[in-house]
Amino acid sequence: MAIRTRQSQRRRQALSRERIIEAAVELLDAAGEGGLTVRALTERLATGSGAIYWHVGTRGELLDAATDTVIAAALAAEPARAPDTPQDEIRVVALGLFDAIAEHQWLATQLAIQLTRSPWGPVTLGIFESIGRQVRALGVPQGNWFTATSALVHYILGATIQNAQIGEDTSVAEPDADRADADRAEFLDAASRAWQELDPGDYPFMRAIADQMREHNDREQFLAGIDLVLTGITHLQPPTGQAHIAE
């Protein structure tokens, strides 16, 4: 009995909250949200369910913790080249989130849940703080900070979540990068052909952009959208102390 007790104590000491969350992220990446069960996690960690609940809590709390961990890492990642301006800093944050959601397919749904149900939680706070500081550095008047920051956050997350879900095959248990790329190309090609076959009298614009939609680069399009939002913010909400001159 004493030997078993000492072994259990060593197992609990070696099992940390961080290790549990790391294993949860691994399961989510491999099999999606449906693959994250307490049973699968205990088998992966060679521990009991009690240790999971002790360190993290319920499955919902574990999902929240996994989301927070991945987003915190994305926001803290150091770029290859130091940003020169607040606009550059916003692009770095935006691309960090874009890449995190592209790498972790399950993250899109969890982010949407966090933002709508827990605007006071660490995920929402971290994203808004990272973008908001740069909006302030742009010189946007304080009365417009929330509106400008919300516009950027909504675009960044909306575009990244939509991008992650295009062509997604939820029937595949373990995501495969080559398969995902092929599915996406097939999806875009099908959509483009459908647009080209629309009635030219009813949808002249959609027919005109069909080839552009098929051939677009997701990251380039995403950054172009960021630049459009930033241009609008700096044009419509000039820095404090500067008069806005209408054109």
Side-chain angles (χ1 to χ4, degrees):
M1 179 64 71
I3 294 176
R4 182 177 301 174
T5 300
R6 287 196 297 271
Q7 289 175 339
S8 298
Q9 289 174 343
R10 284 197 297 270
R11 187 184 301 117
R12 285 195 297 269
Q13 290 169 357
L15 185 66
S16 65
R17 173 182 170 86
E18 290 73 21
R19 176 58 192 132
I20 293 173
I21 295 172
E22 179 185 356
V25 171
E26 292 169 356
L27 282 172
L28 288 163
D29 288 345
E33 186 176 332
L36 179 62
T37 64
V38 173
R39 179 177 180 179
L41 195 56
T42 56
E43 290 177 354
R44 194 179 193 90
L45 295 169
T47 188
S49 59
I52 306 296
Y53 294 122
W54 172 264
H55 283 285
V56 182
T58 65
R59 181 177 180 276
E61 290 171 323
L62 181 58
L63 277 168
D64 289 346
T67 303
D68 181 27
T69 297
V70 173
I71 292 300
L75 295 176
E78 292 291 336
R81 179 176 178 275
D84 295 324
T85 66
Q87 290 93 331
D88 289 339
E89 191 72 54
I90 287 171
R91 295 185 190 98
V92 168
V93 173
L95 278 178
L97 293 170
F98 183 93
D99 291 341
I101 294 174
E103 181 179 354
H104 307 279
Q105 290 290 310
W106 55 272
L107 190 59
T109 300
Q110 289 305 311
L111 256 182
I113 292 174
Q114 289 273 344
L115 291 168
T116 55
R117 297 183 183 177
S118 183
W120 49 80
V123 170
T124 305
L125 294 178
I127 293 172
F128 265 83
E129 184 69 23
S130 296
I131 298 296
R133 289 185 184 185
Q134 303 312 316
V135 167
R136 181 178 62 185
L138 285 171
V140 173
Q142 185 170 354
N144 297 326
W145 284 358
F146 176 74
T147 299
T149 303
S150 294
L152 279 163
V153 171
H154 290 160
Y155 169 76
I156 291 168
L157 295 183
T160 53
I161 289 172
Q162 181 183 25
N163 179 74
Q165 293 174 340
I166 290 178
E168 181 181 357
D169 184 357
T170 56
S171 66
V172 179
E174 295 191 12
D176 178 86
D178 292 336
R179 171 68 181 275
D181 289 341
D183 288 346
R184 182 174 182 78
E186 183 179 346
F187 174 87
L188 293 177
D189 184 65
S192 177
R193 282 187 280 106
W195 288 7
Q196 288 172 330
E197 294 170 1
L198 292 169
D199 186 297
D202 293 335
Y203 300 99
F205 176 78
M206 298 302 292
R207 284 169 54 90
I209 65 170
D211 286 337
Q212 296 177 29
M213 191 275 287
R214 179 197 288 121
E215 298 167 1
H216 79 273
N217 178 281
D218 292 328
R219 287 171 67 88
E220 291 177 1
Q221 182 193 47
F222 177 67
L223 286 175
I226 294 290
D227 289 342
L228 285 172
V229 177
L230 287 172
T231 298
I233 288 173
T234 54
H235 179 73
L236 297 175
Q237 304 180 78
T240 304
Q242 294 185 9
H244 175 61
I245 301 176
E247 296 182 349

